[in-house]
């Protein structure tokens, strides 16, 4: 919960307040290792002097790895000078290579625990495994804010709140780098959507940029992150990877970052402008930083000193991690058991109980002995999202098996599909094909030209499962599965993109009339041959699946219905409702059994028109390889649901910060405007007096807590907020005490009605109480003044409240904030 500050200007509170870096626990944060405060080592300077221009350029762009481990990137070394190569792996929720790794819960689930110490442990697992799996650089963590609920990568980041995101990213980086793996904070900056991410021009004013989006990146720099990844998008008219105001003025000059800046993959757009602005490395290849950079040096367009500057940054970080002198510790072996323990711990800690009517949960008595499990993700472990967050797990148990094991011998745990993700055998086709397993030999081409008989007009969804090149399937002359645009061919989600047996899956939905339809297929075996399946679902098959689920619900004492939403890099969500026909399934099942618990394996917030009909809702996001066991533990009450929402859930599609305003999202004519200013997330709901479905910070416990005895007092340049929390229930439970701060009466700047200023996660036994002190730092008491281009302390009487969400305040008090004479200017 540290409130980190920059090196050079630090907090620089205008008016003379002293700069501090403090934690929400009331203790001062340990200063980050001041690597940037020392000159570049003689070793680095000696290497730069000996490198040829070709060798220098070769260290500033990616290349193909001759011994690839399946990682995302590779930078060749210089063998004659003993400069080793760098392997760079994706890793927001575990190390993404071809080998098995611990599949940790999604970062948004980690964030839901409101526990920076747990973020550090999470980072330690990734750091150890990254090195064990032959990697040198981790392309993570991501700290972009959750701004739009449609963003396809919301699950890869932490929160809509800048303080929480800053605290967690700093500790995760410390954990990663404590194991000798270089961390890369991304995506700098404002990459808060996937729609048009390669080109969108994000327009934002100075105050919200500094107060919101940049706070997490500043914390990452202060924590010692070795690298920063530039974003795809433009920022105020200039591509982020050649944007001097953010790369040079803010990142380098203001924060003193001396690590290296790399592009996101294929995010470079220039040579001279990018290098001059502060970009150091182009990934994953060298369109601009290979031959083009060498030519620019030779013709005088770029001084070789700028190339040396970038080299110095890269080599200095490598030197810091012992990669140049051989002092890096030997690569450890993997410890899958330790990784699994942390994965389970995080999934339990972040499990968030949103709704619990009539004590539906925890499952006890007859409700725990007679259970109907419903939904496709009841039997298919939903481990992670798609794209760069996908990890090959060591193992992953199905929720059905975990619930059956936990219910014990003699219990009845039944299952019904409810919603079909992978289709049913295709009926009514001409002879000559086995569409449930058609093989194609290596080098062969298999063709089919026949008919598909449709008895009644209906909506059909076709599914192609394949192991090689996707077969070309035409229905009445129209291709059913054309190539997906952009990265859609590669990133298809962590659940629906692959069948349980590993075959790749694509879908196509259309309305078919009754009668015969011409079906033609061409499938190529290529070098290895392949296997493919062609399946379908229809309105009739869906009705049968729902009827089976309703029957199972009626026969059981309780229902656990697993619902999904499969997000991936490269695509935003198109709606906030559950995809497919899941809402209708939930309505039908809940009508049959009021003790229905919906477990949400979703990427972000979800609208819930069915909320009033179900007994409970448990938000589990993408829970990693131990998600099934964690879910069972929470459902049966073996542990308290310890998570709290790090983002606001809206009531409907038209009641959230970017609803109805295409200029805010997804942009108009290539430009997106952050016209909400500082009122992001829960701040917007407060400013507009819009009631959310569930507010930021919300989460229920199986016990009850009482908050009392609020006291607010000056504490250095901040405030100390003291209060007592007591467990008034009959079970050990978890609460997250949240301290919110009101606006300063003395500032003529836009301010939030309330903003998170500190928090504390507490676990208390029945009847126990604890006195808590949460410190509000000078940074949280300050606003960015765009006229002075600096932080100003918000003096005067400030409202301080303690609550369990942004909308449920238990205690309200006042604190007096005054200027203090500074001992000296930072």
């Amino acid at each position: 919960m540290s409130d980190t500050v920059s090196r050079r200007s630090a907090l620089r509170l205008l008016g003379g307040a002293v700069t501090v870096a403090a934690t929400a626990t009331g203790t001062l944060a340990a200063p980050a290792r001041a690597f940037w405060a020392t000159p570049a080592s003689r070793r680095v300077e000696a290497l730069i002097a000996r490198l040829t221009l070709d060798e220098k350029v070769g260290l500033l762009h990616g290349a193909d790895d001759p011994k690839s481990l399946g990682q995302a990137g590779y930078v060749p070394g210089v063998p004659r000078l003993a400069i080793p190569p760098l392997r760079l792996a994706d890793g927001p929720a575990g190390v993404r290579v071809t080998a098995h790794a611990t599949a940790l819960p999604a970062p948004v689930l980690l964030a839901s625990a409101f526990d920076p110490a747990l973020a550090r442990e999470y980072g330690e697992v990734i750091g150890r495994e990254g090195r064990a799996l032959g990697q040198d650089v981790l392309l993570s963590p991501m700290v972009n804010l959750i701004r739009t609920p449609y963003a396809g990568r919301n699950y890869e980041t932490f929160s809509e709140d800048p303080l929480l995101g800053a605290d967690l990213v700093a500790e995760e980086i410390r954990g990663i780098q404590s194991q000798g793996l270089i961390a890369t904070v991304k995506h700098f900056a404002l990459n808060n959507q996937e729609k048009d991410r390669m080109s969108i021009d994000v327009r934002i004013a100075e105050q919200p940029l500094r107060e919101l989006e940049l706070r997490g990146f500043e914390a990452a720099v202060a924590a010692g992150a070795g690298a920063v990844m530039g974003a795809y998008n433009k920022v105020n008219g200039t591509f982020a990877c050649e944007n001097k105001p953010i790369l040079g003025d803010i990142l380098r000059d203001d924060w003193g970052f001396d690590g290296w800046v790399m592009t996101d993959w294929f995010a470079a757009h220039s040579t001279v402008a990018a290098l001059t602005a502060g970009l150091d490395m182009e990934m994953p290849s060298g369109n601009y930083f290979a031959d083009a950079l060498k030519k620019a040096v030779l013709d005088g367009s770029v001084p070789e000193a700028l190339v040396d500057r970038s080299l110095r940054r890269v080599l200095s970080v490598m030197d810091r991690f012992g990669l140049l002198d051989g002092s890096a510790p030997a690569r450890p072996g993997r410890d899958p058991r330790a990784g699994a323990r942390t994965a389970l711990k995080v999934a339990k800690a972040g499990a968030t109980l949103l709704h619990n009517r009539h004590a539906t949960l925890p499952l006890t008595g007859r409700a725990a002995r007679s259970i109907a499990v419903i939904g496709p993700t009841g039997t298919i472990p939903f481990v992670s999202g798609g794209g760069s967050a996908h990890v090959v797990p060591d193992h992953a148990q199905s929720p059905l098996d975990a619930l059956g094991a936990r219910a014990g011998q003699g219990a009845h745990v039944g299952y019904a599909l409810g919603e079909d993700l992978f289709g049913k055998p295709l009926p009514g086709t001409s002879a000559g094909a086995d569409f449930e397993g058609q093989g194609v030999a290596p080098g062969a081409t298999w063709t089919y030209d026949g008919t598909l008989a449709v008895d009644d007009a209906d909506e059909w969804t076709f599914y192609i499962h394949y192991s090689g090149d996707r077969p070309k399937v035409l229905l009445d002359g129209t291709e059913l599965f054309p190539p997906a645009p952009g990265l859609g061919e590669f990133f298809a989600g962590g659940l629906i993109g692959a069948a349980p047996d590993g075959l790749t899956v694509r879908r196509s939905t259309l309305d078919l009339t009754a009668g015969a339809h011409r079906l033609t297929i061409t499938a190529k075996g290529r070098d290895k041959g392949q296997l493919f399946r062609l399946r379908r679902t229809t309105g009739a098959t869906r009705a049968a699946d729902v009827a089976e689920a309703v029957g199972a619900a009626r026969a059981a004492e309780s229902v656990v219905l697993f619902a999904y939403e499969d997000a991936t890099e490269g695509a935003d969500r198109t709606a906030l409702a559950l995809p497919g026909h899941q809402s209708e399934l939930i309505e039908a099942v809940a009508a049959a059994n009021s003790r229905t618990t919906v477990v949400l394996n979703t990427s972000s917030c979800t609208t819930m028109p069915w909320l009033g009909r179900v007994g409970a809702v448990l938000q589990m996001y993408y829970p990693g390889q131990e998600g099934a066991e964690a879910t069972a533990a929470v459902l049966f009450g073996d542990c308290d649901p310890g998570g709290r929402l790090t983002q606001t859930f809206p009531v409907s599609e038209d009641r959230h910060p970017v609803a109805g305003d295409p200029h805010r999202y997804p942009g108009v004519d290539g430009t997106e405007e952050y016209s909400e200013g500082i009122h992001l997330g829960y701040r917007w709901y407060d400013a507009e007096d819009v009631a959310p479905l569930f507010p930021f910070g919300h989460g229920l416990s199986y016990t009850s807590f009482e908050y009392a005895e609020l006291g607010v007092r000056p504490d250095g340049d901040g405030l100390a907020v003291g209060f007592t929390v007591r467990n008034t229930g009959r079970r050990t439970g978890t609460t997250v005490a949240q301290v919110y701060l009101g606006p300063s009466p003395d500032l003529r700047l836009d301010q939030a009605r309330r903003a998170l200023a500190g928090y504390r996660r507490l676990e208390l036994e029945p009847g126990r109480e604890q006195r808590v002190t949460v410190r509000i730092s000078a940074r949280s008491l300050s606003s960015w003044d765009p006229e002075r281009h600096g932080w100003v302390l918000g003096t005067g009487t400030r409202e301080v409240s303690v609550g369990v969400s942004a909308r449920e305040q238990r205690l309200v008090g006042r604190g007096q904030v005054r200027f203090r004479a500074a001992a000296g200017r930072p």
Side-chain angles (χ1 to χ4, degrees), residues 347-368:
K348 288 179 178 179
T352 307
L353 183 60
L354 300 179
H355 174 72
N356 195 21
R357 186 177 59 174
H358 305 314
T360 298
L361 295 180
L363 298 173
T364 58
R366 294 171 60 189

Side-chain angles (χ1 to χ4, degrees), residues 95 100-102 124-134 179 329-339 394:
V95 182
H100 289 267
T102 300
E124 288 169 352
V125 169
I126 298 176
R128 178 187 175 94
E129 292 211 335
R131 294 207 68 243
L133 292 168
Q179 305 301 302
R331 293 190 184 274
R334 278 196 66 218
D335 189 347
R337 291 185 179 180
D394 289 304

